[in-house]
Amino acid sequence: MFGFAQSAISGYIPVEDANMSREVHLTQISVTNFTGDKSAAAFKLKKAIASVKADANGFFEFKRNLLADKDAIYKIHVNRFEKALKDTVVVEELFLFSKRDTIYFKKSPIPFSDYVNTNSAHKEWQKLYDFEQQLRQTTLKKEDSLSIAYLGDVKSYTKDSLEILMVKLISIKQLDNKALLEKDIAKNPSFYVAFLQELKESDINRSEYLFLENKLAFLTTEVAESKYAVSKIVNFILGLLIAALVCFVFIQRRRKRKAIPELSKQEHTIQRLILQGKTNKEIANELFISLNTVKTHITNIYSKLQVSNRQELQRKMQNS
């Protein structure tokens, strides 16, 4: 079927229709400018790729070197003059494609209506389109309820059934087109922030998801501001707690110092001599006081310092 190594896009248009132009046009379209459902009229800011003229049999082809390396949305179309309308209408088809793939349009009375596309993303996009069509046919509710139901169903389908990033992006653009995206971002911010990060790490051009990045700009700003405000509050509270703890320790130490009666000058001297290992008699001789006076001073020292003997006094002084 695909016998043209250099041809990525090939096929036939019905040349027996005298009102059908034989000029076949190829255009690339950005997801960011997607404004409706899967029809070329739903896209703006199209990038013309090339135009070729079909031969006498209606055959046409586009070479691979015209196409992007990455998956992109393309429109192929011809013009047909409608006598009833006395105007020219566009007969078209949209498809996801890259230069690695091949698409072949079979002979058909309606141009581009029967084709085979090897691009896996296109197949998934077609499934999404079929799912959305089914939703529209089966959901008979009020407009508000329909929006809520549509939002929930498409979101679930996008999350659980779609695997290709480009198709997920198209699905999310559908929500944006229905003015439902901001509502869902408010409900599921973490999902969209993670999805945007996934897009940034992929090989998809930033221009394709710029609309989502812009939608999330206010959210990431609010989150950053919220985190900064929370951080300031936490730091302020921690500062208060530290200050309170320092004051508590200072007060406790002052209370402790006040609770222990201060030693007199003579008691300090006797305490020093005790710590030097002097006996009561040696202390009495050194200070020229009686033994009983030494014992009285020692009793007062023990009482004030809350110790019972020389060993406890020694330990207390070492730890103080």
Side-chain angles (χ1 to χ4, degrees):
M1 181 184 298
F2 308 122
F4 306 92
Q6 297 300 317
S7 300
I9 302 170
S10 62
Y12 291 87
I13 58 172
V15 291
E16 60 272 12
D17 186 345
N19 295 315
M20 184 77 67
S21 169
R22 286 169 59 182
E23 289 288 334
V24 182
H25 308 280
L26 184 66
T27 307
Q28 184 177 340
I29 305 165
S30 171
V31 176
T32 292
N33 301 303
F34 181 40
T35 60
D37 58 15
K38 187 173 176 283
S39 65
F43 290 85
K44 297 178 180 178
L45 299 178
K46 307 173 182 70
K47 175 186 175 184
I49 301 296
S51 297
V52 296
K53 188 172 184 179
D55 64 17
N57 294 318
F59 178 78
F60 66 90
E61 61 180 330
F62 292 95
K63 304 297 183 182
R64 294 189 185 279
N65 59 3
L66 297 172
L67 306 170
D69 293 328
K70 307 168 186 176
D71 285 342
I73 299 173
Y74 292 91
K75 179 187 81 166
I76 190 168
H77 75 278
V78 293
N79 295 324
R80 186 181 188 279
F81 183 75
E82 289 283 354
K83 292 181 180 179
L85 299 175
K86 295 183 179 180
D87 196 6
T88 300
V89 298
V90 177
V91 185
E92 61 196 9
E93 182 62 27
L94 289 178
F95 54 95
L96 275 167
F97 204 68
S98 77
K99 69 190 315 178
R100 301 183 304 272
D101 305 302
T102 306
I103 186 169
Y104 177 77
F105 294 92
K106 301 177 183 179
K107 287 185 177 181
S108 174
I110 303 175
F112 319 122
S113 61
D114 188 6
Y115 60 89
V116 178
N117 186 350
T118 63
N119 184 280
S120 57
H122 179 82
K123 295 173 184 176
E124 191 166 275
W125 186 21
Q126 186 61 48
K127 290 180 182 178
L128 171 63
Y129 176 72
D130 293 341
F131 175 77
E132 290 172 336
Q133 291 298 101
Q134 184 180 3
L135 276 183
R136 291 171 185 168
Q137 294 172 4
T138 59
T139 307
L140 300 174
K141 300 180 180 180
K142 293 180 179 179
E143 183 60 33
D144 289 345
S145 299
L146 175 59
S147 296
I148 294 171
Y150 183 91
L151 178 62
D153 290 341
V154 173
K155 174 71 180 304
S156 297
Y157 186 84
T158 300
K159 183 178 179 182
D160 301 332
S161 301
L162 299 181
E163 298 179 357
I164 299 174
L165 275 180
M166 178 65 83
V167 185
K168 285 186 178 182
L169 184 60
I170 292 172
S171 177
I172 287 173
K173 190 65 173 75
Q174 292 283 67
L175 297 180
D176 187 34
N177 298 333
K178 298 180 184 299
L180 297 173
L181 182 56
E182 289 184 4
K183 182 188 297 184
D184 200 43
I185 287 175
K187 290 182 179 179
N188 307 281
S190 58
F191 170 81
Y192 288 98
V193 170
F195 181 63
L196 179 60
Q197 185 60 37
E198 195 175 359
L199 288 169
K200 288 181 177 180
E201 293 172 357
S202 72
D203 61 353
I204 296 176
N205 288 326
R206 181 168 176 258
S207 61
E208 299 286 7
Y209 56 82
L210 188 59
F211 77 95
L212 180 60
E213 193 170 27
N214 291 337
K215 292 284 183 182
L216 289 174
F218 80 94
L219 175 65
T220 52
T221 301
E222 285 184 357
V223 169
E225 289 177 350
S226 175
K227 287 182 177 179
Y228 177 69
V230 170
S231 177
K232 285 179 66 177
I233 293 171
V234 170
N235 289 337
F236 178 73
I237 293 173
L238 286 175
L240 288 178
L241 289 175
I242 292 171
L245 182 60
V246 170
C247 289
F248 175 77
V249 172
F250 177 75
I251 292 170
Q252 288 298 105
R253 286 182 177 178
R254 286 194 62 183
R255 286 178 178 175
K256 187 174 181 181
R257 284 198 298 267
K258 288 182 179 180
I260 301 175
E262 292 186 4
L263 301 181
S264 67
K265 185 178 180 180
Q266 186 75 315
E267 288 169 346
H268 272 297
T269 302
I270 293 173
Q271 175 189 256
R272 177 174 53 78
L273 295 174
I274 291 172
L275 295 176
Q276 290 176 3
K278 300 285 182 74
T279 64
N280 290 355
K281 187 175 181 180
E282 289 173 335
I283 293 172
N285 293 335
E286 185 169 330
L287 298 179
F288 303 104
I289 57 177
S290 68
L291 187 58
N292 287 335
T293 302
V294 172
K295 290 180 179 179
T296 299
H297 281 309
I298 291 176
T299 299
N300 291 336
I301 292 170
Y302 286 176
S303 176
K304 289 179 179 181
L305 299 181
Q306 299 179 353
V307 296
S308 303
N309 50 54
R310 291 171 180 254
Q311 290 76 20
E312 288 186 15
L313 177 62
Q314 188 79 30
R315 287 195 296 270
K316 187 169 185 111
M317 292 303 102
Q318 288 176 348
N319 296 329
S320 61

